[in-house]
Amino acid sequence: MRHARFLNMLMRQSRSLHKLKPKEVMIFNVSGNFGNYQIMIGPENVANHTRPIEINGSIHHLFVTKNRIEPLPTREEVTNNLRGTIIMNDITVHLFDKNGDGKEVLIERNEMDGAHAREQINLAGDEGDQIMHESETTGRLANETYQIVQEDILRSLHK
């Protein structure tokens, strides 16, 4: 996934995107396995032939550890009763990719952009607070969530 441009992969999945003229905008909704998303593809930047992509939506759960952020826990994490894990529930996402390449999101307003959970269950103790603070301030949470959302969208469109 990370080697291909997200917009190109979306275009392969949707015929209507092929017909999109340079100044046109397209908005569509996707119900994925891990959440629901509204995708807006903006007008083409003629200088570099890119289109911005904005995704608004929600994800049911994310499991955050020191080394990974995933929509499902590993078997080892479950066996250890999710010790060392922060469970994020009912996550609101607002992700803006100015080039549509799927590499990283732009965070301009921390309280609005990125991924924000309505509930967090910290099973990692004091280290969990540090893990969450670090993943939010470095942009790791937003960018890894973006990768999860991209895969969920593409998988849902492929069905």
Side-chain angles (χ1 to χ4, degrees):
M1 171 51 162
R2 295 171 196 247
H3 62 278
R5 288 176 40 109
F6 181 45
L7 182 59
N8 291 345
M9 298 197 64
L10 278 174
M11 290 180 124
R12 284 187 212 143
Q13 301 294 335
S14 173
R15 291 183 185 158
S16 56
L17 284 174
H18 287 292
K19 300 174 186 172
L20 205 57
K21 294 181 175 118
K23 293 187 180 184
E24 289 183 325
V25 172
M26 178 176 242
I27 299 173
F28 58 99
N29 297 312
V30 173
S31 291
N33 289 328
F34 304 124
N36 299 303
Y37 319 100
Q38 180 182 65
I39 299 102
M40 185 187 89
I41 299 174
E44 184 176 336
N45 177 346
V46 280
N48 58 8
H49 301 290
T50 62
R51 288 180 181 264
I53 295 176
E54 185 173 352
I55 300 172
N56 289 296
S58 62
I59 299 176
H60 309 301
H61 321 290
L62 285 177
F63 296 85
V64 180
T65 64
K66 187 176 184 177
N67 300 319
R68 59 188 287 283
I69 298 172
E70 292 292 333
L72 299 170
T74 64
R75 182 168 299 203
E76 182 181 329
E77 289 169 354
V78 171
T79 302
N80 291 328
N81 296 317
L82 298 173
R83 215 169 297 133
T85 304
I86 299 102
I87 304 167
M88 297 176 69
N89 291 320
D90 196 18
I91 300 120
T92 302
V93 295
H94 179 247
L95 306 166
F96 182 73
D97 178 353
K98 68 178 182 173
N99 295 320
D101 58 8
K103 291 181 182 174
E104 67 179 352
V105 294
L106 179 65
I107 304 291
E108 289 184 339
R109 303 163 301 177
N110 285 340
E111 68 280 347
M112 300 289 289
D113 298 339
H116 302 283
R118 290 205 167 103
E119 178 186 32
Q120 290 183 11
I121 302 168
N122 183 356
L123 301 174
D126 292 336
E127 186 182 24
D129 294 334
Q130 182 181 355
I131 291 169
M132 283 308 299
H133 177 73
E134 190 175 298
S135 66
E136 289 171 338
T137 56
T138 62
R140 176 178 161 233
L141 177 62
N143 284 298
E144 289 194 34
T145 300
Y146 186 35
Q147 297 301 317
I148 292 165
V149 168
Q150 288 178 54
E151 291 171 15
D152 198 20
I153 290 168
L154 292 170
R155 196 175 308 120
S156 295
L157 291 175
H158 186 67
K159 291 180 182 177

